[in-house]
Amino acid sequence: MNDMTTASLAGQERKAPGRPRNAQADEAILRAVLELLSEGQTVAAISIEAVAARAGVGKATIYRRWANKEALIIDAVAAMKGPLPALAGESVRDDLVTLITANRSGHARGFSKVTACLLPELLRDDSIVEMYKAVTEPRRELMRSVLRRGIATGELRDDLDIELTLLMLTGPSMMHGLFQWQPRVPDEGFVEKLVDGVLRGAAA
């Protein structure tokens, strides 16, 4: 996937459909992309023809909805992540727990193989890194906003390094979720313990 434009990274505007959208067809198409990725297909190897065949639709159905393969894959990975969770906005701790729990939901875990298969490609292809960032950045920015709010309200230190704290919160969760990096750390209560551990150093 080369020469990916900024427009496609943001999710290029899709072509106007010639008929009303079919949610069932959309779901089948996005699921087909994720299944191909989870089977080890590279982004470059996946074709619109293969996606259409797996989803049981015609190529024209896909092109009516997505301008190109890059836009389709971005939407598929975004669908895998699920919608952004609603935050109560009252407690930094509670909001961080909500955000990290959403990233570790049963829906997201069902596609953990997709993330694992994308990792080698992230090392090989900068354009795929940018594609993945386009999907994950809204979630990261929401977490940043929680940390900024905590600084403003006095819950967190005013000299807090937001980007480093973000990495400390998301890195262990991703690695443990994908690979069970530390089998002696149980899943039950993991998110709360992770957030509490980071906040011990981040609290005002």
Side-chain angles (χ1 to χ4, degrees):
M1 184 167 56
N2 298 318
D3 300 324
M4 184 181 292
T5 64
T6 302
S8 68
L9 292 178
Q12 284 190 16
E13 189 173 320
R14 299 170 190 167
K15 295 179 180 179
R19 65 187 68 174
R21 292 291 292 268
N22 182 322
Q24 192 172 13
D26 286 4
E27 183 179 347
I29 292 165
L30 296 174
R31 185 171 60 250
V33 174
L34 295 174
E35 288 175 356
L36 290 169
L37 287 170
S38 69
E39 291 168 6
Q41 291 271 356
T42 65
V43 171
I46 290 176
S47 66
I48 295 296
E49 290 81 1
V51 174
R54 178 67 65 97
V57 301
K59 288 193 298 180
T61 301
I62 297 176
Y63 282 120
R64 277 197 299 268
R65 291 158 165 76
W66 288 275
N68 52 41
K69 184 176 76 173
E70 288 79 9
L72 170 58
I73 290 176
I74 286 172
D75 275 5
V77 176
M80 174 186 76
K81 296 287 186 182
L84 290 172
L87 301 179
E90 297 173 358
S91 160
V92 167
R93 178 190 184 275
D94 291 349
D95 284 351
L96 292 176
V97 167
T98 297
L99 285 168
I100 297 174
T101 299
N103 287 338
R104 295 169 57 82
S105 67
H107 177 78
R109 286 189 172 191
F111 294 108
S112 59
K113 284 185 179 180
V114 175
T115 304
C117 290
L118 280 174
L119 289 177
E121 297 205 61
L122 293 173
L123 297 174
R124 289 195 300 262
D125 191 334
D126 288 343
S127 67
I128 297 176
V129 173
E130 294 305 314
M131 179 201 74
Y132 196 74
K133 285 180 180 178
V135 173
T136 59
E137 188 57 27
R139 295 174 178 274
R140 293 168 62 84
E141 183 57 31
L142 187 55
M143 191 172 288
R144 287 188 191 98
S145 71
V146 171
L147 296 174
R148 293 189 194 107
R149 191 189 77 223
I151 294 172
T153 60
E155 291 178 77
L156 303 179
R157 293 164 39 183
D158 57 10
D159 63 345
L160 183 70
D161 187 324
I162 289 178
E163 294 304 318
L164 182 58
T165 304
L166 188 68
L167 183 61
M168 293 167 68
L169 288 165
T170 57
S173 177
M174 177 181 177
M175 296 301 290
H176 189 59
L178 281 175
F179 306 115
Q180 291 295 305
W181 207 256
Q182 176 48 276
R184 295 181 181 178
V185 176
D187 275 346
E188 185 177 355
F190 171 78
V191 174
E192 290 82 0
K193 290 176 181 176
L194 173 63
V195 171
D196 288 341
V198 173
L199 289 183
R200 285 191 191 99

